[in-house]
């Protein structure tokens, strides 16, 4: 039962990789929250059309949230593209399997004699003469 366990780190990682990703995300979120709470002073933010004075904690949390949304949208797009590729390859695999099956079924009737020429199974038995124990037939 190799490769089916909880600690399978080969072949994609599975559950363990997901757990480490979750732990890393929680640590980064905790560090960001601590950093934001420490910096509570108001700052001037220059938007192209005006200036706004907002607390630095909101600016840090807002930028972190915006970054998470951007990274998440790239991940969702990548997953969608990979699922579409899997569907296309699965369809191609089924088509090739059907072609292979039909080719094997078409060739199952064809047999080969010792000279390498092919014939159908029904005429194959007629082409080969069976030796006979009749001595008169051997003299012919």
């Amino acid at each position: 039962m190799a490769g089916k366990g909880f600690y399978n780190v080969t072949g994609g990682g599975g559950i363990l990789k997901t757990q480490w990703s979750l732990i890393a995300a929680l640590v980064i979120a905790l560090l960001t929250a601590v950093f934001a709470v420490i910096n509570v002073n108001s700052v001037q933010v220059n938007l192209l059309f005006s200036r706004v004075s907002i607390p630095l904690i909101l600016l840090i949390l807002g930028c972190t949230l915006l970054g998470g949304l951007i990274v998440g949208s790239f991940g969702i797009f990548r997953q969608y593209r990979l699922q579409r590729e899997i569907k296309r390859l699965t369809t191609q695999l089924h088509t090739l399997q059907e072609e292979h099956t039909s080719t094997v079924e078409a060739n199952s009737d064809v047999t080969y004699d010792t000279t390498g020429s092919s014939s159908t199974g029904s005429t194959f038995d007629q082409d080969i003469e069976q030796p006979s124990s009749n001595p008169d037939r051997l003299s012919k």
Side-chain angles (χ1 to χ4, degrees), residues 3 11 24-25 28 36 46 55 61-62 69 76 82 94 99 103 115 137 140:
I28 290 172
N46 186 7
L61 293 177
L69 288 174
I76 290 170
L82 289 174
H94 289 307
E99 288 176 6
T103 303
T115 61
R137 185 160 188 230
K140 287 183 182 177

Side-chain angles (χ1 to χ4, degrees), residues 18-19 56 73 80 88 103 120:
T18 304
Q19 285 183 343
L56 189 56
S73 64
Y80 170 74
R88 184 186 66 80
T103 303
T120 60

Side-chain angles (χ1 to χ4, degrees), residues 27-44:
V27 168
I28 290 172
L30 181 65
L31 290 174
T32 303
V34 168
F35 181 72
V37 169
I38 292 171
N39 295 294
V40 292
N41 300 336
S42 288
V43 293
Q44 291 284 331

